Amino acid sequence: MKNIAVILSGCGVYDGTEIHEAVLTLLAIEQAGAKYRCFAPNINQHHVINHLSGEVMAAEQRNVLIESARIARGDVEDLSELIVAEFDALIVPGGFGAAKNLSDFAINADSYTVNKQVLSACQGFANASKPAGYMCIAPAMVPIIYGSNVQATIGHDVGVAQSLTAAGLAHQNCAVDDIVVETQHKLVSTPAYMLATSLTEAASGINKLVAKVIDLTN
């Protein structure tokens, strides 16, 4: 049975993992006959957003690992404990947490970085030639993880695509129900909620991504 590592970035689209993307990913992994383990960095979130009003809750501070446990029903591990050799592939759902907590792309798009622990884990899969899937805004990390001129997609948002192209990504426009496959690096990406307007639309691309990532493990 294939074993997939899933990296989460908190809980909630505006300051953590996009919950629908995460749940659809875990469901697709199970339905494909594979298993997963969830991980998250044990760090503070960039900030906390009131998901009802959209306002920053300046006085509140939350931990990415603890918040990720909400999605994983408590079954989430510190990212420092991820051992690449124990897994066949990696998948990173999106949500602003990927661009605020795993990286700082949302804050510093012109010269953004990826959290060192996240970078080490993701590069571990890349260096071992193990498949990986990145969805929504998570492909923003691809140029830093894989280097320049590697193909991935965030959909067809012109402004975001331009920023990522400037960072070295070979961005490919992509419909919500499709995927971009970088065969050389066994890298799969899909727009998910960068374009999706419903669970069904999000699932259409996420299911393809999960299926392709698992296929590339063979």
Side-chain angles (χ1 to χ4, degrees):
M1 181 182 289
K2 303 297 184 181
N3 195 15
I4 315 298
V6 178
I7 296 180
L8 303 176
S9 59
C11 181
V13 58
Y14 300 124
D15 58 15
T17 305
E18 211 301 318
I19 297 170
H20 292 170
E21 289 180 3
V23 174
L24 288 168
T25 296
L26 302 182
L27 177 62
I29 291 170
E30 279 197 2
Q31 290 180 332
K35 60 181 180 178
Y36 61 82
R37 284 164 58 194
C38 293
F39 295 86
N42 187 8
I43 58 175
N44 287 332
Q45 293 182 187
H46 170 67
H47 60 196
V48 178
I49 298 291
N50 179 326
H51 278 61
L52 189 61
S53 68
E55 296 176 353
V56 176
M57 302 172 68
E60 189 163 345
Q61 190 174 77
R62 298 188 186 183
N63 176 279
V64 173
L65 177 60
I66 292 171
E67 289 300 294
S68 297
R70 294 176 179 273
I71 294 176
R73 295 175 60 86
D75 191 11
V76 63
E77 301 168 62
D78 191 318
L79 185 59
S80 65
E81 299 173 359
L82 191 158
I83 299 172
V84 174
E86 295 179 353
F87 296 91
D88 300 288
L90 167 70
I91 296 179
V92 185
F96 271 106
K100 292 178 178 178
N101 303 328
L102 304 187
S103 74
D104 62 356
F105 176 73
I107 298 100
N108 195 22
D110 291 336
S111 56
Y112 67 99
T113 60
V114 173
N115 171 278
K116 289 182 179 180
Q117 194 176 80
V118 175
L119 182 61
S120 176
C122 294
Q123 285 185 333
F125 284 87
N127 293 337
S129 296
K130 292 188 175 185
Y134 292 77
M135 64 187 69
C136 191
I137 195 60
M141 298 189 291
V142 164
I144 298 176
I145 296 165
Y146 289 87
S148 298
N149 299 316
V150 174
Q151 291 185 357
T153 189
I154 50 84
H156 49 66
D157 184 297
V158 175
V160 177
Q162 286 178 342
S163 292
L164 295 178
T165 299
L169 183 70
H171 183 265
Q172 302 293 310
N173 286 344
C174 182
V176 68
D177 62 348
D178 207 354
I179 56 175
V180 169
V181 182
E182 169 70 81
T183 306
Q184 179 181 349
H185 296 90
K186 299 180 182 178
L187 174 66
V188 188
S189 54
T190 193
Y193 273 102
M194 287 295 289
L195 294 178
T197 60
S198 67
L199 276 165
T200 301
E201 283 190 353
S204 62
I206 290 171
N207 289 343
K208 288 182 180 178
L209 179 145
V210 171
K212 186 62 178 178
V213 166
I214 292 173
D215 178 63
L216 288 170
T217 65
N218 297 318

